[in-house]
Amino acid sequence: MARADADTPMMQQYHRLKAEAGDALLFYRMGDFFELFFEDARIAAACLDIALTKRGDEVPMCGVPVHAAESYLARLIRAGHRVAIAEQTESPAEARRLRGSKALVERAIVRLVTPGTLTEETLLESGATNWLAAIGCAGEEWAIAACDISTGRFELIACARTEIAAELARLGPAEVIGAQPLDGITGRWGHDGFDSLHGERLLKRRFGLADLDGLGGPGRAELAAAGGLLDYLAATQREATAFLALPRRIQRSAHMAIDAATRASLEICRTQDGAVAGSLLGEVDRCVTAAGRRLLGQDLAAPLTDRAAIEQRLDLVAWFTEEPIRRERVRGTLRSLPDLGRALGRLVAGRGSPRDLAALRDGLGGAADLAASLAGQALRPALLDALLPDLGGHDALVDELGRALVASPPLDAAKGGFIAEGHDPELDRLRSASSDGRRAIAELEGRYREATGVAALKIRHNAVLGYHVEVPAKHADKLLAPDSGFTHRQTMAGAVRFNSPALHEEASRVLEAGGHALSLEQAHLARLTDAAVARAGPIATTADALARIDVAAGLAERAIEGGWVRPALDETPCLEIEGGRHPVVERALGQAGERFVANDCCLGTADRLWLITGPNMGGKSTFLRQVALIALLAQAGSFVPAARARVGLVDRLFSRVGASDNLARGRSTFMVEMVETAAILAQATPRSLVILDEIGRGTSTYDGLAIAWAVVEAMHDEAKSRTLFATHYHELTRLAGRLPCLSLHNVRAREWKGDLVLLHEVAEGAADRSYGIAVARLAGLPPTVVARAKSVLAKLEAGRDATGGIAAGLDDLPLFAAAAEAPPATDPLADALAAIDPDALTPREALDALYRLKRLSDEQAG
């Protein structure tokens, strides 16, 4: 950078703001562009694929137009960057008036745009909640405070340190913050405000509360998390106010616990590639509003454990299934309504537009009409009766917005035109004066054409010259004459521009009237926004009620479409499914013209552990997953893909189906499998549902079988959970004679004329063999390799028959609970040898180690 350029007032101002922005990219407003400099420019140019230029001799720079800034912001945020917005806080004219002709325009950072603090429609995914999560602790207590400022949702969740990862997996936050780093959790650490007393003060001040008893008495860790969250919002939003409803305390026991590995395995709200399409949510979703999709995602992410609450949801879904005409009428009304929650969020944050006010007008009016329609229906379920009062109560605001706004207001308020004619007589007068002035200018244009004889003469307007006369260059001489009455303003390549006293007079009248009219419209906008924000709480409640109705009607639509049934709920640890199907796989097969094979499952007190054998590609993993998804759907309040289902409430759902290397954390597939299995054994209870697939396959056959054997025993004797355990270790079937609550099942397959036929049916009993070579042939393994595999298998099986096989002697093992074996004897010589790192030894140390080993050897020999 040139030294002179570095010392300019503008660059000094830039450096001050950049220091304030920290690691965020600084969008520095210069006229109609946001400019970026130095390393920020290099990063942004590469991310946005825009030109990188230079200022002065050395300063890299790039810029984006202000009018298109949101699209560029979206790309930067998706790429993981934060952006500080430095706006001009005064106009150039104000700067000159206050500090002289060469005064620098004042700028300030008005907002820090981060992934968890977005409100703009173009920056958000309409059907997904955009959580910001703050992790706080106080002593041994831990908690999460989470909010979505685009809709005002605010939650406090007290949890153990070991449960934080699972809760974050439920929320799927766009951004995580905290005071100190936590192993295994990606976030932004080192933030201030995570103090319980500070959090208590901020909550009281924010919501005007004398005490926090009305919130249920949050604990110290919850208060600390809330303090950090509110401080972060204040730092990022600056003068704006983030929309937050009263925080709701979420009890961990109120919803089914599902860890991150299980969510990934079952692909509940996203596939493992991160897409909604192909996930359970993508397959179940028949909502017609964005708010409904967001709520459905939250329901599936946190199925309930309260039977009464689940039954209320199911009653509402059932009510919508009974009358197709009623259901379609309600869905049609909902489909026409705007996204109330997010429109309100933008208005509260000071980023709203006239169109957002119109969204409240139309949405609240539509909600009242829907309430009137539903109130006339007979035999309404209890949940609907509870929701109906929340849909109304906004008549005064709807009436005011209806009288004040035009039918379709513009998105940009800067040019006016959104206040309806007749609402304000003074505004109508100013508009009339401006319109009369424009007509006078049009008449003046005609007179000038006649007076000059230049038919191509036009009166135009731009931001620099205002109103002016423009003629082609070849006719300019007529207007340049001293007695023409025109004053030369600007010469262009093909045209010349002029002014005149009459035009100046009319233009002044137009601009003055237009300016006053625009100011008056802005005052109306501020007043209407204040009126809407004053009712933020009740409006948010209405938005939530509409979303709940949309979810229920959408689930009813999905149930009718797929022939799903209402599940029966039970407090006992049972799980009975007749004709169960996997919703995602069934849809995929249907699109391919194939039929999904439904299967039954019956887990109870005396038959709670199923050991399932059978060939690869036979459908074991699909069966395991569909059982888990049916339980999840039932407790989320949905009908389920089955002919009949009775679900004993599940407190924790675990799935270890498939694993992959976690190279970033230095873990192999087998290590990932063992970590996940250890978590299951540590946390599963008799009320849990566990699905395990191919435990132990990532290591040697003997080690794998030993681990699988021990895990089966532990699930049976210790956890006592409802468990589906799929395996290729046929030796495990021997456990059926020793574990009373274990039963054998298999996915059926047959070989027909040398070909393997996979029946995808789950039947009682163990599989007769694994059909691995037949599957390999199906997969296209070369015939020579298949033939060789058959010969090797024949030899192995002959050896197994002669020696008793890999499981010889296992029948004599005690059960898992009684296997209190003595620790293995130690070998001092082997231990000493294993402790030596040859590459780290000096010659002297190596000689000493050799003597030490010789001495240990002599002692053992003696």
Side-chain angles (χ1 to χ4, degrees):
M1 178 176 63
R3 191 66 237 168
D5 198 29
D7 292 336
T8 63
M10 190 214 76
M11 291 309 293
Q12 292 174 6
Q13 182 188 69
Y14 168 82
H15 285 301
R16 176 175 55 80
L17 293 172
K18 177 58 185 171
E20 185 180 342
D23 62 354
L25 304 179
L26 180 62
F27 267 32
Y28 182 82
R29 177 75 177 265
M30 296 180 69
D32 292 333
F33 277 77
F34 283 118
E35 303 288 359
L36 298 97
F37 300 99
F38 302 103
E39 189 61 25
D40 286 2
R42 294 190 183 94
I43 294 170
C47 182
L48 302 175
D49 193 23
I50 58 178
L52 181 66
T53 60
K54 287 186 178 181
R55 175 184 178 88
D57 293 336
E58 301 292 339
V59 181
M61 69 176 291
C62 66
V64 299
V66 170
H67 72 270
E70 281 191 8
S71 64
Y72 291 103
L73 273 175
R75 292 164 65 184
L76 290 169
I77 295 298
R78 281 195 294 268
H81 300 292
R82 303 193 311 157
V83 180
I85 307 294
E87 282 281 7
Q88 296 175 180
T89 56
E90 62 183 358
S91 68
E94 289 173 326
R96 288 192 295 270
R97 178 173 57 81
L98 293 173
R99 295 185 300 280
S101 60
K102 295 184 179 181
L104 177 67
V105 173
E106 282 294 329
R107 294 173 176 85
I109 294 177
V110 297
R111 180 188 176 196
L112 189 61
V113 185
T114 74
T117 58
L118 304 177
T119 56
E120 291 82 353
E121 189 173 3
T122 55
L123 303 182
L124 291 166
E125 186 178 341
S126 64
T129 306
N130 195 66
W131 290 110
L132 167 67
I135 303 172
C137 69
E140 298 300 316
E141 300 175 12
W142 290 82
I144 299 172
C147 71
D148 177 1
I149 66 170
S150 71
T151 60
R153 194 175 179 92
F154 188 7
E155 295 183 356
L156 300 177
I157 311 114
C159 53
R161 167 67 183 86
T162 55
E163 296 172 328
I164 289 176
E167 280 303 295
L168 292 177
R170 171 181 72 85
L171 294 167
E175 186 175 7
V176 177
I177 61 171
Q180 57 190 18
L182 296 177
D183 291 340
I185 296 174
T186 302
R188 295 186 57 82
W189 314 111
H191 291 283
D192 298 327
F194 286 85
D195 174 81
S196 59
L197 293 177
H198 179 63
E200 182 177 3
R201 286 193 297 269
L202 290 183
L203 283 172
K204 288 179 179 178
R205 185 189 314 155
R206 174 83 186 215
F207 299 105
L209 302 173
D211 57 55
L212 301 182
D213 292 344
L215 302 182
R220 290 180 59 235
E222 293 168 272
L223 294 174
L229 181 78
L230 294 174
D231 255 11
Y232 188 72
L233 290 178
T236 57
Q237 303 306 292
R238 302 301 169 103
E239 299 302 319
T241 301
F243 176 35
L244 292 179
L246 274 171
R248 295 189 299 172
R249 297 187 68 213
I250 305 298
Q251 299 297 326
R252 283 281 293 105
S253 60
H255 58 258
M256 182 190 295
I258 310 173
D259 61 25
T262 300
R263 292 180 190 278
S265 169
L266 297 179
E267 299 183 307
I268 298 171
C269 292
R270 302 270 178 175
T271 66
Q272 297 194 26
D273 294 330
V276 174
S279 68
L280 177 66
L281 173 60
E283 182 51 45
V284 171
D285 178 22
R286 296 297 181 272
C287 295
V288 294
T289 70
R293 289 186 200 96
R294 294 195 295 268
L295 182 58
L296 176 60
Q298 293 164 21
D299 287 351
L300 294 178
L304 302 176
T305 55
D306 184 327
R307 181 178 177 181
I310 301 169
E311 294 284 13
Q312 282 197 338
R313 289 186 184 179
L314 290 171
D315 287 344
L316 186 53
V317 175
W319 190 74
F320 277 119
T321 64
E322 294 165 0
E323 293 287 345
I325 295 176
R326 174 173 62 198
R327 182 175 69 253
E328 191 47 48
R329 186 179 294 121
V330 169
R331 282 164 59 80
T333 299
L334 291 169
R335 190 179 285 111
S336 67
L337 300 183
D339 193 338
L340 276 177
R342 290 215 160 145
L344 178 62
R346 289 188 290 272
L347 289 166
V348 173
R351 303 182 192 111
S353 70
R355 191 170 296 178
D356 290 320
L357 287 172
L360 296 192
R361 174 198 64 194
D362 299 340
L364 295 174
D369 293 342
L370 180 62
S373 173
L374 291 173
Q377 301 290 322
L379 302 175
R380 296 185 305 273
L383 180 55
L384 182 58
D385 275 341
L387 293 172
L388 287 181
D390 295 337
L391 297 179
H394 308 289
D395 293 348
L397 178 61
V398 171
D399 181 64
E400 184 176 11
L401 294 175
R403 288 184 289 103
L405 298 172
V406 298
S408 299
L411 183 61
D412 184 5
K415 296 181 180 179
F418 50 86
I419 297 298
E421 187 176 349
H423 179 67
D424 183 342
E426 176 61 16
L427 177 59
D428 292 343
R429 186 189 68 76
L430 290 170
R431 283 175 171 171
S432 178
S434 178
S435 178
D436 291 344
R438 282 192 291 271
R439 280 195 294 272
I441 287 174
E443 293 171 0
L444 185 62
E445 180 182 76
R447 294 201 302 271
Y448 283 164
R449 285 177 182 171
E450 291 181 7
T452 61
V454 181
L457 181 148
K458 295 182 180 298
I459 293 180
R460 299 185 182 278
H461 180 274
N462 65 32
V464 177
L465 298 180
Y467 284 98
H468 57 272
V469 175
E470 182 176 294
V471 296
K474 61 183 179 180
H475 300 299
D477 289 346
K478 295 182 179 180
L479 280 71
L480 286 169
D483 57 350
S484 67
F486 294 94
T487 303
H488 175 259
R489 294 294 307 277
Q490 189 176 34
T491 299
M492 311 289 288
V496 182
R497 293 169 173 173
F498 299 87
N499 201 355
S500 72
L503 177 59
H504 178 73
E505 184 177 345
E506 294 296 344
S508 296
R509 277 199 288 269
V510 169
L511 294 174
E512 183 178 6
H516 288 317
L518 185 58
S519 296
L520 199 51
E521 282 202 81
Q522 296 296 333
H524 282 299
L525 177 63
R527 178 181 58 79
L528 293 171
T529 299
D530 288 343
V533 170
R535 292 193 54 79
I539 293 172
T541 299
T542 297
D544 291 344
L546 290 171
R548 176 55 64 196
I549 293 171
D550 186 25
V551 168
L555 289 174
E557 185 76 11
R558 184 65 184 90
I560 296 299
E561 174 189 311
W564 294 11
V565 300
R566 175 173 181 161
L569 302 178
D570 203 304
E571 297 288 353
T572 62
C574 65
L575 186 58
E576 301 170 9
I577 299 169
E578 292 180 11
R581 288 129 39 212
H582 190 300
V584 180
V585 177
E586 183 181 26
R587 170 57 63 94
L589 289 175
Q591 291 174 341
E594 300 179 34
R595 182 179 66 89
F596 185 92
V597 178
N599 279 295
D600 301 344
C601 180
C602 185
L603 299 174
T605 304
D607 190 19
R608 51 181 158 77
L609 197 161
W610 279 24
L611 189 68
I612 306 169
T613 52
N616 283 316
M617 299 173 57
K620 295 194 300 295
S621 295
T622 297
F623 174 70
L624 265 60
R625 285 187 171 99
Q626 79 188 34
V627 170
L629 292 180
I630 286 172
L632 185 152
L633 284 168
Q635 291 186 217
S638 170
F639 282 26
V640 298
R644 184 185 74 85
R646 178 168 168 256
V647 178
L649 295 180
V650 175
D651 66 345
R652 294 173 177 269
L653 177 61
F654 296 99
S655 169
R656 217 236 57 83
V657 181
S660 59
D661 291 347
N662 189 336
L663 299 180
R665 299 185 64 184
R667 290 177 174 176
S668 67
T669 300
F670 180 68
M671 183 63 173
V672 171
E673 175 184 297
M674 291 298 98
V675 168
E676 294 175 2
T677 305
I680 294 171
L681 294 174
Q683 300 176 51
T685 75
R687 293 176 58 84
S688 301
L689 175 60
V690 180
I691 60 174
L692 297 166
D693 190 15
E694 305 295 355
I695 294 297
R697 64 182 172 179
T699 186
S700 73
T701 303
Y702 289 94
D703 283 354
L705 173 59
I707 291 169
W709 185 287
V711 169
V712 170
E713 290 184 337
M715 293 307 303
H716 183 279
D717 296 338
E718 300 297 316
K720 299 181 181 179
S721 306
R722 287 160 286 180
T723 305
L724 299 178
F725 193 107
T727 185
H728 276 100
Y729 292 127
H730 289 261
E731 291 78 6
L732 293 179
T733 59
R734 296 170 181 241
L735 286 167
R738 304 171 56 191
L739 303 179
C741 297
L742 181 148
S743 62
L744 302 179
H745 298 264
N746 72 94
V747 288
R748 295 179 60 211
R750 290 291 181 268
E751 283 193 277
W752 175 254
K753 295 182 179 180
D755 291 328
L756 179 66
V757 180
L758 300 170
L759 301 177
H760 302 291
E761 295 177 2
V762 178
E764 291 187 5
D768 55 352
R769 52 200 173 96
S770 69
Y771 297 96
I773 292 178
V775 172
R777 184 172 61 245
L778 264 183
L781 224 60
T784 55
V785 175
V786 172
R788 176 59 176 162
K790 285 183 176 180
S791 66
V792 172
L793 177 62
K795 291 182 179 181
L796 290 173
E797 288 181 335
R800 180 178 63 187
D801 293 340
T803 64
I806 189 175
L810 288 181
D811 288 335
D812 297 328
L813 277 176
L815 294 183
F816 181 86
E821 300 179 6
T826 60
D827 183 345
L829 180 60
D831 291 343
L833 185 60
I836 294 174
D837 181 0
D839 292 333
L841 298 179
T842 65
R844 178 64 187 177
E845 290 170 339
L847 185 60
D848 291 342
L850 186 58
Y851 280 121
R852 187 164 58 255
L853 293 174
K854 180 67 169 63
R855 184 170 59 255
L856 287 171
S857 176
D858 292 343
E859 289 174 355
Q860 287 188 357

